[in-house]
């Protein structure tokens, strides 16, 4: 894939030698107009997006692609850097061959349909553009005319919004680009979803005809074999009959017709890229990730959600996303500025009111769940955990570092009897003392709120499910981007003998039973719910900055 060089005439991207693993080669060689890849972490989805978009944008000068992200923050931090890193590696330089967020130089060709603004536009040197479409900005794809759609991390996309706003925009320009088999194509990639809402793209499996895919792949192999023989004959000085070249062109024409009418769907576990990732990485992922995360994000296995668990009233409606567009826009696509995450990127946190903190304490894993009541909602903003050698001081450090820009440095610390008189047996300070001291040491005022003995499991089950059902003062809602592991803990918590099933908490950690998957995280969430619902330290009323002088 030479610097600034167009694709070869056989439809394969590039001229320089670029290593591709088996899934990458299969996807790009098959070249179906529509491609759905469900792949584990490390499978190389970023390279697929980079090659797919570069092929489309080079072969269709002046075209417009829609790069769809669930939210602006995720696109800025994950999707775009992953793709553009490959472009840079292949010799396509920012400012020389592509720019983003600014109007391209006057010397560059114009796109077929010039955008009204360039703030969220990626421009290529030949006039092709790509719109960064974020679903948390309503209407960002309205009135667009697109020639291709690129959707990464599809499990986070809202299909109803996609269907209403974005899919209809993949239209038009057939007079210019209709001869290309990939015109109006879609690339959809994700790891395996764990929710019904995030599983919309799995339905494409039933729309994929494996026999047609096999036929395409056989035709690709035949095309390259015939081309190799012709090239060898030319190199040896032998005459190549006209009919051989004619047959090769006819084979490629028929291949393109097949591709134009084909949807390719495939699921790849991370082990498909074992040559690059290495066995140690897979072992580490199995060791370090929660079981559900490993099974879905690494092994690409379909996993259901417990519907008869401890939090039976919880639904997909109790999740939300929130990005601070003002802050993200101020980054001007300078990706290094978002490497150290902080709460400035979150739109759901009220920086002028206290944070409510609840913890769970264990010798091997400790959790902190951060929330804020907001009207009738209890917003679960973010959750943190530390393992093994990292203890409560490190956990508090993680929390305060993330919220270092919070203006009202007041923490309402909810704790029950398990935090009093208990410690790690290394000193006389109990858990609640350590947490309060560490928060104050980092400049936070602490409102210690004792909620008594741990609530009976049955009463807790009834209370929190009443909250989820909207029958209490507060209804919990989770920021999905900040609570990935907590959601797994909550969604998979079961019931045993009328109580939350906590039988596995005291067992030694194994590869099949990771600490992060157990109920410790959900216990910290319970404490937050009980504290905010039953012990509202600051129920509505005036701003806490006046209450506390913060």
């Amino acid at each position: 894939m030479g610097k600034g060089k167009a694709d070869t005439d056989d439809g394969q991207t590039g001229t320089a030698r670029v290593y591709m693993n088996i899934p990458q080669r299969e996807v790009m060689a098959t070249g179906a107009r529509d491609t759905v890849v469900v792949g584990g972490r490390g499978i190389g989805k970023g390279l697929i997006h980079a090659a797919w978009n570069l092929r489309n944008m080079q072969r269709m000068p002046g075209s417009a692609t829609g790069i769809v992200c669930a939210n602006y923050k995720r696109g800025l931090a994950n999707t775009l850097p992953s793709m553009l890193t490959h472009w840079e590696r292949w010799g396509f330089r920012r400012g020389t061959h592509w720019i983003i967020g600014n109007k391209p130089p006057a010397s560059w060709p114009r796109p077929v349909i010039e955008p009204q603004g360039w703030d969220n536009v990626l421009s290529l040197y030949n006039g092709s553009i790509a719109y960064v479409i974020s679903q948390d900005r309503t209407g960002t794809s309205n009135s667009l005319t697109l020639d291709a759609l690129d959707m990464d991390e599809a499990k986070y996309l809202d299909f109803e919004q996609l269907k209403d706003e974005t899919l209809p925009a993949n239209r038009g320009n057939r007079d210019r680009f209709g001869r290309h088999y990939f015109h109006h194509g879609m690339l959809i990639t994700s790891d395996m979803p764990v929710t019904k809402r995030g599983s919309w793209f799995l339905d494409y499996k039933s729309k994929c005809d494996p026999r047609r895919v096999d036929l395409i792949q056989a035709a690709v192999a035949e095309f390259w074999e015939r081309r190799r023989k012709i090239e060898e004959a030319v190199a040896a000085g032998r005459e190549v009959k006209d009919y051989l070249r004619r047959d090769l062109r006819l084979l490629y024409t028929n291949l393109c017709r097949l591709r134009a009418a084909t949807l390719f769907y495939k699921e790849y576990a991370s082990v498909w890229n074992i040559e690059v990732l290495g066995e140690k990485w897979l072992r580490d992922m199995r060791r370090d990730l929660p079981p559900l995360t490993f099974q879905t994000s690494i092994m690409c296995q379909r996993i259901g959600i417990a519907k008869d668990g401890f939090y039976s009233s919880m639904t997909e409606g109790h999740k939300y996303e929130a990005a601070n567009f003002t802050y993200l826009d101020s980054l001007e696509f300078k990706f290094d500025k978002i490497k150290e995450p902080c709460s400035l990127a979150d739109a759901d946190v009220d920086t002028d009111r206290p944070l409510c903190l609840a913890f769970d304490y264990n010798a091997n894993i400790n959790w902190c769940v951060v929330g804020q009541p907001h009207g009738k909602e209890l917003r679960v903003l973010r959750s943190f955990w530390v393992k093994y050698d990292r203890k409560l001081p490190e956990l508090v450090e993680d929390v305060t570092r993330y919220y270092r820009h919070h203006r009202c440095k007041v923490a309402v610390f909810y704790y029950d009897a398990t935090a009093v008189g208990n410690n790690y047996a290394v000193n006389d300070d109990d858990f609640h003392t350590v947490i309060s001291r560490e928060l104050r040491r980092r400049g936070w005022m602490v409102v210690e709120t004792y909620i008594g003995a741990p609530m009976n499991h049955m009463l807790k089950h009834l209370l929190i499910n009443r909250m989820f059902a909207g029958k209490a003062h507060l209804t919990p809602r989770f920021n999905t981007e900040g609570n990935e592991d907590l959601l797994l803990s909550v969604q998979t918590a079961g019931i045993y003998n009328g109580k939350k099933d906590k039988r596995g908490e005291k067992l030694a950690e194994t590869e099949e039973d990771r600490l992060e998957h157990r109920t410790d995280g959900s216990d910290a969430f319970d404490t937050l719910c009980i504290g905010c619902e039953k012990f509202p330290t600051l129920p509505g009323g005036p701003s806490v900055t006046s209450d506390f002088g913060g």
Side-chain angles (χ1 to χ4, degrees):
M1 201 171 300
K3 181 163 63 177
K5 190 172 181 64
D7 299 343
T8 55
D9 61 0
D10 56 23
Q12 306 302 312
T13 56
T15 55
R17 295 180 65 84
V18 175
Y19 172 79
M20 289 189 176
N21 59 33
I22 292 175
Q24 292 164 344
R25 292 202 301 269
E26 183 174 25
V27 169
M28 296 309 299
T30 302
R33 192 192 74 161
D34 299 315
T35 297
V36 182
V37 175
V38 186
R41 295 180 187 176
I43 202 67
K45 296 187 287 288
L47 185 146
I48 294 174
H49 284 273
W52 190 86
N53 279 302
L54 193 58
R55 177 201 65 187
N56 290 357
M57 295 175 74
Q58 285 188 317
R59 295 284 301 279
M60 297 187 294
S63 63
T65 298
I67 299 178
V68 188
C69 311
N71 58 64
Y72 193 42
K73 179 180 177 182
R74 190 177 295 276
L76 187 62
N78 299 341
T79 304
L80 289 174
S82 176
M83 182 185 80
L84 296 175
T85 296
H86 289 289
W87 282 18
E88 291 279 347
R89 189 176 298 147
W90 297 336
F92 292 84
R93 305 302 180 200
R94 183 171 188 166
T96 302
H97 303 100
W98 60 272
I99 62 173
I100 187 168
N102 294 297
K103 188 174 183 178
S107 59
W108 288 15
R110 298 290 96 180
V112 173
I113 301 176
E114 192 161 337
Q116 295 180 352
W118 300 88
D119 291 345
N120 302 303
V121 175
L122 168 67
S123 302
L124 199 64
Y125 64 91
N126 66 348
S128 293
I129 59 174
Y131 293 93
V132 181
I133 300 171
S134 56
Q135 288 198 319
D136 52 354
R137 282 182 160 173
T138 304
T140 51
S141 54
N142 287 349
S143 75
L144 296 182
T145 299
L146 302 175
D147 300 294
L149 278 176
D150 176 14
M151 291 166 272
D152 189 19
E153 296 189 308
K155 68 180 183 181
Y156 298 114
L157 297 178
D158 183 334
F159 179 68
E160 291 302 317
Q161 185 177 348
L162 194 69
K163 181 180 65 176
D164 294 340
E165 295 183 6
T166 309
L167 294 182
N170 196 12
R171 66 194 176 198
N173 290 329
R174 293 185 183 276
D175 55 328
R176 290 178 176 266
F177 308 123
R179 67 185 183 279
H180 296 293
Y181 66 85
F182 42 81
H183 187 225
H184 290 158
M186 296 189 304
L187 174 61
I188 302 173
T189 68
S190 178
D191 55 358
M192 186 62 71
V194 296
T195 65
K196 182 177 180 180
R197 179 187 179 193
S199 302
W200 60 272
F201 55 91
L202 299 182
D203 293 339
Y204 282 111
K205 183 176 182 179
S206 63
K207 302 173 183 178
C208 173
D209 185 348
R211 296 170 299 179
R212 185 184 291 267
V213 172
D214 290 343
L215 182 58
I216 289 176
Q217 293 177 352
V220 169
E222 178 66 18
F223 172 85
W224 283 104
E225 178 62 18
R226 291 190 188 185
R227 177 166 170 165
R228 182 186 63 81
K229 290 181 179 179
I230 291 176
E231 290 175 346
E232 288 178 351
V234 172
R238 298 194 301 271
E239 180 184 2
V240 178
K241 301 296 184 181
D242 288 342
Y243 78 87
L244 293 175
R245 298 184 186 276
R246 186 171 59 251
D247 286 350
L248 185 65
R249 288 193 296 269
L250 179 59
L251 175 59
Y252 182 67
T253 299
N254 290 332
L255 175 59
C256 289
R257 288 172 178 167
L258 273 174
R259 285 169 163 168
T262 299
L263 182 146
F264 175 78
Y265 177 98
K266 191 93 178 249
E267 298 173 6
Y268 301 99
S270 298
V271 294
W272 279 93
N273 200 19
I274 189 70
E275 295 165 327
V276 172
L277 298 175
E279 293 183 21
K280 183 180 184 301
W281 182 86
L282 289 173
R283 293 194 195 98
D284 290 346
M285 291 299 99
R286 188 175 183 184
R287 179 194 65 202
D288 296 335
L289 294 177
L292 278 182
T293 303
F294 179 78
Q295 291 176 56
T296 56
S297 296
I298 304 297
M299 300 309 296
C300 209
Q301 297 175 357
R302 300 195 183 199
I303 304 295
I305 300 176
K307 298 181 180 179
D308 55 352
F310 190 78
Y311 304 94
S312 54
S313 295
M314 180 183 172
T315 68
E316 290 296 313
H318 293 108
K319 303 175 186 178
Y320 68 92
E321 294 179 345
N324 184 346
F325 296 125
T326 302
Y327 171 71
L328 294 171
D329 285 340
S330 72
L331 299 180
E332 298 179 341
F333 293 96
K334 295 176 181 177
F335 305 120
D336 58 326
K337 290 186 177 181
I338 205 170
K339 287 181 179 179
E340 179 65 32
C342 69
S343 59
L344 292 177
D346 301 331
D348 55 344
V349 58
D350 187 340
T351 62
D352 293 317
R353 295 188 65 82
L355 297 176
C356 296
L357 310 183
F359 292 77
D360 187 75
Y361 325 91
N362 192 286
N364 292 325
I365 187 168
N366 294 271
W367 279 81
C368 176
V369 179
V370 182
Q372 273 187 331
H374 185 84
K376 294 284 290 181
E377 291 182 356
L378 171 55
R379 292 178 177 175
V380 184
L381 304 174
R382 200 166 192 87
S383 50
F384 304 79
W385 54 264
V386 294
K387 287 173 62 172
Y388 298 126
D389 293 339
R390 303 191 77 224
K391 300 294 186 181
L392 288 176
E394 290 80 10
L395 179 58
V396 174
E397 169 63 24
D398 290 348
V399 174
T400 55
R401 183 169 62 249
Y402 186 81
Y403 289 101
R404 60 190 178 274
H405 300 295
H406 199 75
R407 288 193 291 267
C408 176
K409 294 223 169 18
V410 177
V412 179
F413 170 30
Y414 289 109
Y415 65 99
D416 61 21
T418 61
V420 180
N422 295 313
N423 54 43
Y424 297 123
V426 295
N427 54 44
D428 294 331
D429 294 334
D430 58 17
F431 297 138
H432 116 273
T433 301
V434 172
I435 291 171
S436 295
R437 182 181 65 233
E438 294 295 327
L439 284 168
R440 292 188 178 103
R441 193 165 70 85
R442 289 168 173 81
W444 286 69
M445 177 181 290
V446 182
V447 181
E448 298 182 4
T449 307
Y450 180 63
I451 65 175
M455 184 177 286
N456 174 276
H457 274 253
M458 184 57 69
L459 294 177
K460 183 193 298 184
H461 173 74
L462 293 173
L463 172 65
I464 296 179
N465 279 285
R466 286 184 68 247
M467 293 176 69
F468 275 125
K471 298 178 180 179
H473 296 297
L474 295 171
T475 301
R477 298 189 69 221
F478 297 85
N479 182 320
T480 54
E481 195 272 333
N483 294 287
E484 183 177 357
D485 291 323
L486 177 63
L487 282 168
L488 287 173
S489 176
V490 169
Q491 290 176 162
T492 58
I495 295 178
Y496 180 73
N497 288 340
K499 302 179 180 180
K500 184 189 292 187
D501 189 354
K502 298 167 65 69
R503 290 174 294 173
E505 277 194 7
K506 303 303 180 184
L507 300 176
E509 184 178 32
T510 66
E511 291 188 353
E512 291 75 26
D513 184 19
R514 309 307 300 168
L515 296 179
E516 301 91 326
H517 175 56
R518 299 175 184 176
T519 50
D520 304 272
S522 68
D523 289 345
F525 166 72
D526 294 347
T527 301
L528 180 71
C529 287
I530 295 169
C532 291
E533 176 71 18
K534 306 293 286 186
F535 301 86
T537 304
L538 300 166
S543 169
V544 298
T545 54
S546 62
D547 291 344
F548 290 97

